[in-house]
Structures are given as C-alpha cells and as structure tokens.
Amino acid sequence: MSSNIGLIISLLFVAIAFLFGADLITIQAAYTSLQNTANDIAYDIMQAGYFDGYVLNNIELTYGLNSSGITLTSNVDTENGESVNGYGDTVVISLSRDISLFIISSDFTISVTRSAVLGYYGNY
C-alpha cells in the first residue's frame, strides 16, 4: 500500500518538474523569437536611413506585430509627426510580448531592446 502511495506522489513531482521545464522552454522560445524579430527590424531601420511613421507602419505590416501580440515602442514619437533622418542618428526600439505559462506565473512579459544607427547599412 505504501509503495503505491509513494509511486503516486513521485509521479506528481515528475509532472510538476515536467511542467516547469515546459515553462522554461516556452520562455526561451519566446525570447529567441523576439530577439530575431528585433534584429531584423533594426536592420531594416538601418537600411532605410530614416525612421518615421511610414517606416513604422511598414515594419508593423511586414512582421505582423499587431496580430502576433508583439508591442513595438521606440524613442521617436511618430504619432506626433516626429521623424529621424540624420545619418548616424540612433533609434532605440523595444519589443515586448505577454506569454502565459503553466506553473511559474499567470502573466509574464518578455522584452527585448535594440538600437539602430540610421544609414549604417545604407547604399551611400
């Protein structure tokens, strides 16, 4: 009888450890995905040579940021018509995404920040 109870309790601990491992894998996959997207966006901004509302809308459409739940923020206020178009200026972008996990927490936000130097990869 006691061996059956021990087996049940040990399987419970194994299941909890398995779910914790699944949470860690989910965090790593989401973080890697955000890193790749942020690097691609920074490259596109560098190649464009300027950053304004048009470039921001193009990035949101190209990478599907609104539909995938990824939030893009930058140090340039494009809603008020501000733009950066000087060669060598820096644009800082931040991507964040909310994920739900099994055990660790009910709401978890992952954020990645990248900077882009305008015109670095441009055809000059």
Side-chain angles (χ1 to χ4, degrees):
M1 182 72 172
S2 65
S3 64
N4 291 337
I5 293 173
L7 178 67
I8 292 170
I9 291 174
S10 66
L11 287 178
L12 178 67
F13 289 138
V14 167
I16 290 172
F18 180 75
L19 290 175
F20 182 72
D23 283 350
L24 293 179
I25 290 171
T26 303
I27 291 171
Q28 182 62 37
Y31 185 72
T32 304
S33 173
L34 277 181
Q35 277 186 330
N36 291 337
T37 304
N39 286 338
D40 291 344
I41 290 172
Y43 179 78
D44 287 348
I45 292 171
M46 285 186 254
Q47 205 169 23
Y50 65 96
F51 187 74
D52 60 0
Y54 176 74
V55 174
L56 181 63
N57 288 336
N58 190 20
I59 286 171
E60 287 177 349
L61 290 175
T62 302
Y63 296 101
L65 299 183
N66 295 333
S67 63
S68 62
I70 298 174
T71 305
L72 171 69
T73 57
S74 69
N75 63 339
V76 180
D77 188 13
T78 57
E79 292 180 4
N80 292 330
E82 184 179 348
S83 65
V84 177
N85 57 5
Y87 181 76
D89 288 341
T90 303
V91 175
V92 178
I93 59 168
S94 178
L95 295 177
S96 61
R97 180 178 175 192
D98 294 330
I99 59 171
S100 59
L101 302 172
F102 296 114
I103 291 183
I104 295 176
S105 176
S106 60
D107 52 345
F108 201 80
T109 302
I110 295 178
S111 179
V112 175
T113 302
R114 294 287 181 268
S115 60
V117 178
L118 296 179
Y120 185 72
Y121 287 112
N123 298 322
Y124 296 109

